[in-house]
Amino acid sequence: GRDLTYRVNKNITDPETGKLLGQEVVFSGIANTLPYTDSALENRTRASDEKLKSNEYYTQVNKAMKLRTQSAQPLVIEEAVSEIRKGDFLLKMDGETEPFQIMPYAPTQHIDGKVMSILDGVHEAGQFQTVTLNKGSADGLDKGTVVSLYKRGRQVRVNLSNNLIRKPKDKDTVELVSIPAEEIGLAMVYRTSDHLASAIILESLNSISIGDTASEPGRDLDNMADEKTMDKPAEDEQEREIELEVRS
């Protein structure tokens, strides 16, 4: 039969919860089994038949020791898209391949995901490369879902008073100003699990990096809320506000 050869590249964990979401695998090629003769297995004794599995026989190591042995299955490589290494796994091919026919559509609900990995192990991605998102079918993603990729806004400290001539005991109040998110590309999901999705980048206006946000289209220049900007209940009934001041 025919097998896909692959290896596990890395584990993917949620950046917020630390929960294991799945594993990234890299397919390296296609291998086909070859017919062969196993004379050692055919010549095992009836006593061995009763003790061993159907594909095992004994190898005599020395006078006092013999070990269970299995014969390796010869394979021929039909196709190699990358290096096939010792220790790679095999996945049986059933002969039926799913056609890559996907109708793109916008998400039907809010998506707040992140780029967790970029195929081929690079740190930045561009058009037609594959990225892995930390959201899947349980989060509203399916084959054909198109998401926008954003460079999330950042916060900078600014001096709003901007006093040029300072008086004694004057204060300059430093506050944070949030820069809105910038849309940098579009990606279409083509494979999902419960909490992971693989997506191909359809358009990229800028380099796409691990940690960039994946959300529904139309949020360009949106000052996106996150756990740092969300109001949390105060420890007591009175809300506490911290103001950073720079004294002249």
Side-chain angles (χ1 to χ4, degrees):
R2 303 175 76 215
D3 298 89
L4 289 171
T5 61
Y6 73 95
R7 57 182 171 272
V8 177
N9 195 21
K10 62 181 177 180
N11 293 332
I12 298 179
T13 57
D14 191 284
E16 298 175 357
T17 65
K19 179 181 177 181
L20 178 65
L21 300 177
Q23 292 179 314
E24 181 184 88
V25 301
V26 177
F27 289 95
S28 51
I30 299 176
N32 200 352
T33 57
L34 295 175
Y36 72 105
T37 302
D38 198 342
S39 300
L41 182 63
E42 294 173 355
N43 293 331
R44 71 179 187 178
T45 64
R46 180 170 297 180
S48 297
D49 289 343
E50 298 174 354
K51 297 179 180 179
L52 301 177
K53 296 179 181 178
S54 60
N55 61 340
E56 292 180 338
Y57 57 90
Y58 282 122
T59 296
Q60 195 77 38
V61 179
N62 53 47
K63 293 182 178 180
M65 181 183 296
K66 56 184 179 180
L67 299 177
R68 294 171 181 256
T69 307
Q70 295 182 6
S71 296
Q73 170 66 57
L75 299 168
V76 61
I77 304 301
E78 286 189 0
E79 182 179 345
V81 295
S82 65
E83 180 184 9
I84 298 176
R85 305 173 185 173
K86 179 181 178 180
D88 282 0
F89 297 94
L90 298 175
L91 179 64
K92 184 66 66 178
M93 298 177 66
D94 57 11
E96 297 181 2
T97 57
E98 185 177 354
F100 194 83
Q101 297 178 354
I102 301 177
M103 181 65 69
Y105 65 94
T108 56
Q109 65 185 65
H110 172 61
I111 305 294
D112 187 13
K114 290 184 182 298
V115 175
M116 299 300 302
S117 179
I118 298 172
L119 198 61
D120 298 329
V122 294
H123 295 288
E124 294 183 340
Q127 190 177 28
F128 302 137
Q129 285 188 273
T130 290
V131 294
T132 301
L133 310 178
N134 66 332
K135 301 295 179 183
S137 57
D139 309 293
L141 294 181
D142 201 357
K143 291 181 180 179
T145 305
V146 175
V147 295
S148 284
L149 303 174
Y150 300 91
K151 290 288 185 189
R152 200 122 189 180
R154 64 186 189 277
Q155 293 179 334
V156 295
R157 291 180 178 180
V158 296
N159 183 351
L160 296 183
S161 58
N162 194 25
N163 290 333
L164 298 179
I165 302 177
R166 295 175 178 172
K167 299 178 180 180
K169 300 183 180 180
D170 229 359
K171 297 179 180 179
D172 283 349
T173 301
V174 176
E175 297 187 14
L176 293 177
V177 172
S178 183
I179 300 175
E182 176 187 0
E183 186 175 18
I184 55 173
L186 287 174
M188 183 181 69
V189 174
Y190 65 86
R191 184 190 300 119
T192 61
S193 60
D194 289 344
H195 300 291
L196 282 177
S198 297
I200 184 170
I201 299 171
L202 303 178
E203 296 179 7
S204 60
L205 302 177
N206 204 340
S207 59
I208 293 159
S209 308
I210 293 174
D212 284 345
T213 294
S215 190
E216 62 271 16
R219 302 189 66 189
D220 189 29
L221 302 182
D222 182 355
N223 187 27
M224 297 181 180
D226 57 22
E227 64 278 359
K228 295 180 180 180
T229 61
M230 301 292 283
D231 286 335
K232 298 180 180 179
E235 297 179 358
D236 51 27
E237 295 181 356
Q238 294 181 349
E239 194 175 35
R240 300 180 179 179
E241 181 180 287
I242 300 177
E243 186 179 77
L244 179 63
E245 296 183 346
V246 178
R247 298 181 181 274
S248 57

